[in-house]
Amino acid sequence: MHADLGARLVPFAGYEMPVQYPSGIISEHKHCRAAAALFDVSHMGQIELFGDTAARDLEALVCGDMQGIAPGRVRYTLFTNDLGGILDDLMVTNAGDRLYLVVNAACKAADFARLESAGLEPRMLEDRALLALQGPKAAEVLSRFAPEAAEMRFMSSALLTLDGVPCRISRSGYTGEDGYEISVPADAAENLARRLLAEDEVAPGGLGARDSLRLEAGLCLYGHDINEHTTPVEAGLTWAIQKRRRAEGGFPGDRIILAQLSSQPERRRVGFIPEGRAPLREGTALTDSNGVNLGGITSGGFGPSVGGPIAMGYALTAWTTPGLSLIASPRGKEVPVKVTTLPFVAPNYHRG
């Protein structure tokens, strides 16, 4: 299907993925912000956990309150290690008789092994594809297939029938826009994708637009903005540690993470706006005017909705006040960079 649509396919996390379609990344990005884009994210890992103690047992591996997820609700959380670093970020749904997890493609084998080693009994859903319909017109489109979709709130989940096919629908996404993630049987995925793309408001989106959209939304990409050496506090993800977990701990690295919550980490993730039109790329160092190292860029590029280059990364906490100027040195050229808050584009989630 992607080949039929003229996609340029590239290797990504062990998969062949569409990075863009003939209209181009900027066009796909803007279409998602204005109407609706359909992304194939079937490379992500979909895992189910069963058992009365699954939520409690999962809390030994993640920093979030899994027992507090209400039925039909979705929660973002993080696998952490003994040093407080992030091993992966994931979405967890209370699906009633099971927990439904969506994890990153590059981490899914390690995540599965981690769950098994903790005594859980995970089941990898190899026979499911995952589609993401994102944008302000997503609800209007999906409600033509299942009227109940329009009534869902952000971070909710339901079993709905789309075009005669039972699907798990989550009102969530990775673009900063309203939208849905659709877990569909693999053998029905192409037909459903083509049906959605046949709607006037929907156009295909590739990895390139997905990356620029999530960057504008200030959302982390695992392995770049967060990794095993980055704590949730440094990454600005403390909202993913609910009150009970802060009080009780009981997750890997809790001592380090909770200590940072009550004091200050040495560095923090923030946004950066470089002077000029040239984007800053991952790995670009940040210094003060005397050349003293202050941090670095972890994600950067052109923000089509912003109309210029944007980036995010880490700097020493004393240098993360919005408005401060740092120096980036891409290719040996000094470029002034201004610290800014995240996100660059206000979210458009449907909270009901």
Side-chain angles (χ1 to χ4, degrees):
M1 183 191 75
H2 296 302
D4 288 348
L5 294 170
R8 181 162 69 88
L9 298 165
V10 299
F12 182 82
Y15 294 83
E16 193 176 25
M17 297 284 293
V19 69
Q20 69 178 81
Y21 297 87
S23 64
I25 292 172
I26 292 177
S27 174
E28 294 167 31
H29 176 114
K30 290 184 174 180
H31 190 87
C32 183
R33 291 271 187 252
L38 185 70
F39 301 90
D40 180 0
V41 290
S42 301
H43 59 303
M44 303 289 281
Q46 301 181 65
I47 300 172
E48 288 182 331
L49 298 177
F50 292 88
D52 294 338
T53 64
R56 184 196 68 191
D57 296 342
L58 182 58
E59 287 186 355
L61 301 175
V62 303
C63 60
D65 180 358
M66 301 294 96
Q67 298 180 73
I69 307 175
R73 297 295 295 170
V74 184
R75 181 163 284 171
Y76 174 86
T77 192
L78 308 157
F79 285 115
T80 53
N81 62 27
D82 290 340
L83 297 177
I86 299 169
L87 296 170
D88 197 9
D89 61 341
L90 65 154
M91 302 288 263
V92 181
T93 299
N94 180 344
D97 63 341
R98 71 198 71 182
L99 295 181
Y100 166 68
L101 282 57
V102 178
V103 302
N104 284 300
C107 302
K108 63 184 177 183
D111 291 343
F112 191 87
R114 190 172 294 116
L115 293 164
E116 282 191 317
S117 66
L120 290 136
E121 297 182 2
R123 182 167 77 96
M124 188 75 77
L125 301 181
E126 302 282 8
D127 58 347
R128 307 286 293 188
L130 193 64
L131 304 175
L133 182 66
Q134 301 284 297
K137 299 290 186 180
E140 182 179 336
V141 170
L142 203 62
S143 63
R144 294 174 195 149
F145 293 79
E148 310 97 311
E151 304 304 316
M152 296 175 65
R153 292 184 294 137
F154 179 57
M155 298 296 272
S156 67
S157 178
L159 291 174
L160 301 179
T161 299
L162 303 181
D163 199 33
V165 179
C167 300
R168 174 159 295 283
I169 314 294
S170 300
R171 196 159 193 173
S172 61
Y174 194 50
T175 61
E177 292 295 331
D178 184 22
Y180 304 84
E181 291 194 347
I182 306 165
S183 176
V184 55
D187 58 4
E190 181 182 348
N191 184 66
L192 179 59
R194 290 186 183 276
R195 288 292 310 275
L196 290 168
L197 288 167
E199 299 298 310
D200 290 341
E201 300 91 340
V202 185
L207 286 173
R210 187 168 162 85
D211 191 56
S212 59
L213 288 158
R214 70 93 194 166
L215 177 56
E216 286 188 342
L219 301 173
C220 294
L221 177 62
Y222 189 78
H224 300 262
D225 309 298
I226 51 176
N227 56 39
E228 67 271 21
H229 305 297
T230 307
T231 72
V233 184
E234 293 171 334
L237 300 174
T238 56
W239 52 268
I241 310 173
Q242 285 74 35
K243 184 177 180 180
R244 181 175 65 81
R245 302 310 308 275
R246 296 186 187 202
E248 297 177 2
F251 52 88
D254 54 357
R255 182 181 58 83
I256 294 170
I257 293 170
L258 297 178
Q260 287 185 347
L261 278 171
S262 63
S263 57
Q264 285 271 15
E266 290 186 3
R267 61 176 191 150
R268 288 189 181 275
R269 179 175 65 96
V270 288
F272 301 103
I273 299 179
E275 187 176 286
R277 302 294 292 176
L280 300 176
R281 300 301 182 186
E282 179 182 358
T284 302
L286 297 171
T287 68
D288 65 11
S289 57
N290 297 316
V292 176
N293 183 57
L294 301 176
I297 302 298
T298 54
S299 287
F302 180 77
S305 304
V306 176
I310 54 175
M312 64 180 171
Y314 290 82
L316 296 177
T317 297
W319 288 84
T320 56
T321 303
L324 287 180
S325 290
L326 286 69
I327 303 295
S329 300
R331 299 171 297 280
K333 178 184 177 182
E334 290 192 351
V335 176
V337 174
K338 185 168 289 188
V339 176
T340 187
T341 55
L342 294 170
F344 297 97
V345 173
N348 192 31
Y349 305 130
H350 179 75
R351 301 190 184 275

